[in-house]
Amino acid sequence: MEAEESQSQPKSQSCDNVNSIKRFGLKNSIQTNFGDDYVFEIVPKNDWSLMAVSLSTNVVKLYSPVTGQYSGECKGHSSTVNQISFSGPSTPHVLHSCSSDGTIRAWDTRSFHEVWSVTAGSQEIFCFSFGGSTDYLLAAGCGSQIQFWDWRNKKQVACLEESHVEDVTQVHFVPNNQNKVVSASVDGLICTFDTGGDINDDDLLESVINVGTSVGKVGFFGETNKHLWCLTHIETLSIWDWKDGQNVASFENARSLASDSWTLDDVDYFVDCHYPGEGENLWVIGGTGAGTVGYFPVNYGGAATIGPPEAVLVGGHTAVVRSVLPMPSVQGRPAQSHGIFGWTGGEDGRLCCWLSDDSSEINRSWISNAMVMRSPKTHKKNRHNPY
């Protein structure tokens, strides 16, 4: 078993709030490999006893989200691991992964052995989701196709070939509406399907949203999951009502809006959006090339604005951050007694654990007003190449 290198870091003093004096800083960092490997994605097990980390070495490693202790690795993919996800409560020890090698694999995280797999032939698999009315459907973005399997017998039940003309980057069954599937693609389209009957292109497609540029990530939020956020490969943000296809808000200059709201370096990219699971609030998570990350509140009712960051993670990474895992703040969860805000992973190969001193209120972490009162300046207009 590979040894893991861990080092403790002093807490940052730069994240004090003038009123609450709540500190927020780096607890420790773990070097996941001894080389130039990237951390792609961090996902939690349902009970938060494990977190899985996908790496650019085509390996998935497992750690404790509370202590950072290394558990083992799942190794078998021969190309880039594009998405990972733990299974539901019925099979809590199973981790799933999809890859550009054309497979979706299931792993037993107790033994780290592969327990089953499906293949999309010669197609790269970029994303997947489990759902359907009986919870037995597995949908995946395979090249420009959306393929469906019955995961119980691993047999393919449908292949949608007409909906997208370029790579499908996201596919999600809608929470609390498991017959509905939303897909997004490099072709700029977000499609909604109904899997309640026979699955085919003609009958399945319900609506199409034209974002106009290559879609990187989408996600649901709001009390009834009515809204859909969308991040593109040119770092724009938009909010949609996925049921009727209406645009709620568009942030074509999202990076400039975020950059204007703090005194740190310009925001170069967006990592993800964060929805805490209740209410209507949404945060977009932006980062700098040097590895600093901020949680920026998205104001999409009325005038579309991006507010000053409500949390800043600085001093942990030295390169682009690829994934952010916020820890839950619900009573009884493992993080509660340890004051852990969350974990981040990036192109420096590091996993960083972020700590809030006030363990009873770790759901929000504030920073000094001095960091978010940016003086006027001219921002660089050049965009980085998303590919």
Side-chain angles (χ1 to χ4, degrees):
M1 185 175 291
E2 181 178 342
E4 298 289 323
E5 179 183 328
S6 177
Q7 64 183 59
S8 296
Q9 301 280 348
K11 294 179 184 177
S12 169
Q13 300 298 313
S14 63
C15 296
D16 297 351
N17 179 267
V18 175
N19 299 316
S20 64
I21 318 297
K22 184 186 293 186
R23 292 186 176 87
F24 187 76
L26 184 69
K27 180 183 179 183
N28 62 23
S29 67
I30 299 168
Q31 195 68 33
T32 59
N33 269 290
F34 303 98
D36 297 323
D37 306 312
Y38 291 3
V39 172
F40 283 150
E41 188 179 11
I42 313 170
V43 301
K45 190 177 175 182
N46 283 347
D47 64 359
W48 291 85
S49 61
L50 280 177
M51 63 181 183
V53 180
S54 59
L55 302 174
S56 57
T57 53
N58 312 330
V59 170
V60 181
K61 293 191 173 185
L62 296 149
Y63 299 85
S64 163
V66 174
T67 66
Q69 182 177 353
Y70 173 70
S71 297
E73 66 182 28
C74 301
K75 190 173 184 179
H77 284 297
S78 59
S79 189
T80 302
V81 176
N82 294 313
Q83 184 184 334
I84 55 176
S85 176
F86 276 95
S87 188
S90 61
T91 51
H93 299 295
V94 177
L95 173 73
H96 302 99
S97 58
C98 72
S99 168
S100 292
D101 65 13
T103 65
I104 299 174
R105 303 177 188 233
W107 312 86
D108 188 322
T109 57
R110 297 165 297 186
S111 65
F112 313 111
H113 292 155
E114 181 183 320
V115 291
W116 62 261
S117 68
V118 296
T119 180
S122 60
Q123 299 280 6
E124 294 182 74
I125 303 180
F126 298 107
C127 52
F128 65 91
S129 182
F130 289 87
S133 59
T134 56
D135 206 31
Y136 294 137
L137 278 180
L138 166 59
C142 310
S144 63
Q145 303 173 352
I146 304 171
Q147 297 189 25
F148 292 85
W149 291 267
D150 183 327
W151 66 263
R152 296 170 299 175
N153 55 26
K154 319 304 180 292
K155 291 184 178 179
Q156 188 180 104
V157 295
C159 178
L160 309 185
E161 301 180 280
E162 307 296 330
S163 304
H164 294 288
V165 295
E166 295 187 66
D167 290 340
V168 176
T169 55
Q170 297 275 273
V171 60
H172 297 287
F173 282 93
V174 180
N176 304 318
N177 202 339
Q178 285 290 80
N179 277 338
K180 308 291 185 181
V181 179
V182 168
S183 63
S185 168
V186 174
D187 62 16
L189 301 181
I190 299 175
C191 298
T192 302
F193 307 92
D194 189 337
T195 65
D198 292 334
I199 303 176
N200 60 68
D201 275 323
D202 294 331
D203 298 332
L204 205 63
L205 183 62
E206 285 194 336
S207 65
V208 178
I209 293 171
N210 188 356
V211 178
T213 189
S214 178
V215 179
K217 286 185 177 181
V218 298
F220 303 95
F221 74 101
E223 290 288 3
T224 60
N225 295 301
K226 177 183 179 182
H227 290 130
L228 184 80
W229 58 262
C230 170
L231 287 173
T232 71
H233 287 124
I234 59 170
E235 314 302 345
T236 62
L237 169 67
S238 54
I239 309 295
W240 302 82
D241 184 324
W242 65 267
K243 292 184 178 180
D244 60 20
Q246 294 298 308
N247 179 246
V248 177
S250 291
F251 301 84
E252 299 299 320
N253 59 338
R255 283 192 298 167
S256 294
L257 291 173
S259 297
D260 286 341
S261 70
W262 68 358
T263 59
L264 304 179
D265 292 342
D266 285 352
V267 172
D268 296 312
Y269 57 90
F270 292 115
V271 184
D272 210 336
C273 283
H274 173 63
Y275 173 59
E278 59 184 11
E280 301 292 334
N281 293 331
L282 181 72
W283 287 262
V284 63
I285 303 173
T288 72
T292 298
V293 170
Y295 276 66
F296 299 86
V298 179
N299 306 309
Y300 56 91
T305 61
I306 293 177
E310 294 179 359
V312 169
L313 313 181
V314 60
H317 291 284
T318 59
V320 169
V321 173
R322 288 291 195 104
S323 186
V324 176
L325 174 64
M327 295 286 278
S329 57
V330 179
Q331 287 288 345
R333 296 289 186 134
Q336 188 66 27
S337 61
H338 294 78
I340 297 173
F341 180 81
W343 290 81
T344 53
E347 295 185 3
D348 53 11
R350 290 182 186 174
L351 284 173
C352 291
C353 180
W354 301 92
L355 182 71
S356 171
D357 276 351
D358 187 353
S359 61
S360 65
E361 298 181 20
I362 64 172
N363 60 322
R364 289 167 75 86
S365 187
W366 302 89
I367 61 172
S368 168
N369 289 334
M371 297 180 67
V372 299
M373 299 297 290
R374 174 179 281 273
S375 57
K377 59 175 276 190
T378 302
H379 295 294
K380 300 183 291 293
K381 298 297 183 183
N382 58 307
R383 294 187 183 276
H384 71 285
N385 188 339
Y387 310 107

